[in-house]
Amino acid sequence: MSYVIPIWTPPALPVVGASDIFPVRRIFCVGRNYVEHQKEMGASGREQPFFFIKSEHALVPNGGEVHYPAKTSNYHYETELVVAIGKGGRRIPAAKATEYVYGYAVGLDMTRRDLQQVGKDHGRPWDFGKNFDEAAPCSALVPAAKIGHPAKGAIWLQVNGKERQKADLADMIWSVPEQIAYLSDYYTLEAGDVIFAGTPAGVGPVKPGDELHAHIDGVGDLKVKVVPAL
Ligand code: MN
């Protein structure tokens, strides 16, 4: 059997210290998962976690040049820990969740904030604000076998050399194991799924020419340059 149109290869992330790559199946993203960011987005309290999904085709492996997206005038960065699922499962207890993690990376949950706001204002989906071309730059993965499961450590972003976000992974409202447990109650998680684990406060706009440098202690770095729209 062959296909009637050319078949594509699955989006994938490089792995630090390996020649083999990690195929990406789905991209789950958690919303409002750091207290100070929750406040800047106008919410408070330990609400239940909520998620949205980006297409794996939004992935920009290793960062590099990212085009200013279409139909927005308020294009934002959100710096996030990325969790790569290495083994599938459902109803995973938080106490066992790290057994399902292959590794970690540094990601940017790029957002068309104005289009996301339209969705919020009208009770419509967030897809146009969150899931678009090149919306998920992500560094190489570092295997948990090498670094363990980071629950604390600095996470920061510089834009053109100036600090814009800075927090600690320990500031997450829902920990990575809790996120995996919650998601796996609603979805059968599969090897290749990744989770963007939420952004700290300080989100803001970027424009063509801006250079972003995201960092997480012990995990790595991600550099992105915004270039003019296609
Ligand atoms: Mn986010």
Side-chain angles (χ1 to χ4, degrees):
M1 183 81 75
S2 58
Y3 294 93
V4 297
I5 58 169
I7 193 66
W8 49 90
T9 51
L13 291 171
V15 176
V16 173
S19 54
D20 292 341
I21 57 178
F22 180 95
V24 173
R25 189 182 296 264
R26 290 174 291 189
I27 302 174
F28 293 99
C29 304
V30 68
R32 295 198 286 252
N33 197 37
Y34 288 76
V35 172
E36 294 304 317
H37 174 62
Q38 186 188 41
K39 284 183 195 161
E40 76 181 350
M41 302 309 277
S44 65
R46 201 177 199 235
E47 56 189 356
Q48 284 295 297
F50 67 93
F51 292 82
F52 55 91
I53 295 174
K54 294 191 192 227
S55 166
E56 66 276 21
H57 297 285
L59 202 66
V60 184
N62 262 336
E65 292 190 346
V66 168
H67 297 87
Y68 198 91
K71 295 288 188 186
T72 184
S73 53
N74 198 16
Y75 176 49
H76 275 211
Y77 54 76
E78 297 189 358
T79 307
E80 311 205 358
L81 176 70
V82 177
V83 184
I85 301 296
K87 183 175 77 165
R90 61 176 76 86
R91 293 188 290 276
I92 299 166
K96 289 187 180 277
T98 57
E99 296 172 18
Y100 294 78
V101 175
Y102 172 79
Y104 297 90
V106 182
L108 283 163
D109 168 16
M110 299 307 291
T111 301
R112 294 191 285 207
R113 193 71 73 199
D114 40 3
L115 300 191
Q116 182 194 26
Q117 191 61 48
V118 170
K120 289 180 177 179
D121 290 347
H122 294 86
R124 293 177 188 157
W126 285 11
D127 299 54
F128 277 29
K130 287 293 196 177
N131 184 14
F132 53 90
D133 297 351
E134 302 178 336
C138 190
S139 74
L141 282 172
V142 58
K146 281 195 181 148
I147 60 159
H149 299 277
K152 57 182 167 54
I155 173 171
W156 54 252
L157 175 77
Q158 295 176 350
V159 179
N160 303 326
K162 286 190 180 159
E163 185 178 287
R164 295 293 183 212
Q165 294 191 281
K166 185 159 206 253
D168 195 286
L169 296 178
D171 299 336
M172 283 186 195
I173 296 170
W174 296 93
S175 69
V176 168
E178 288 171 332
Q179 292 180 46
I180 292 169
Y182 189 90
L183 259 183
S184 71
D185 280 345
Y186 287 84
Y187 290 90
T188 302
L189 292 182
E190 305 278 3
D193 290 338
V194 302
I195 303 168
F196 276 55
T199 194
V203 300
V206 284
K207 58 186 188 314
D210 285 345
E211 298 190 18
L212 289 70
H213 177 188
H215 170 91
I216 300 175
D217 281 359
V219 176
D221 293 88
L222 172 65
K223 292 183 178 178
V224 162
K225 179 169 185 182
V226 181
V227 298
L230 288 169

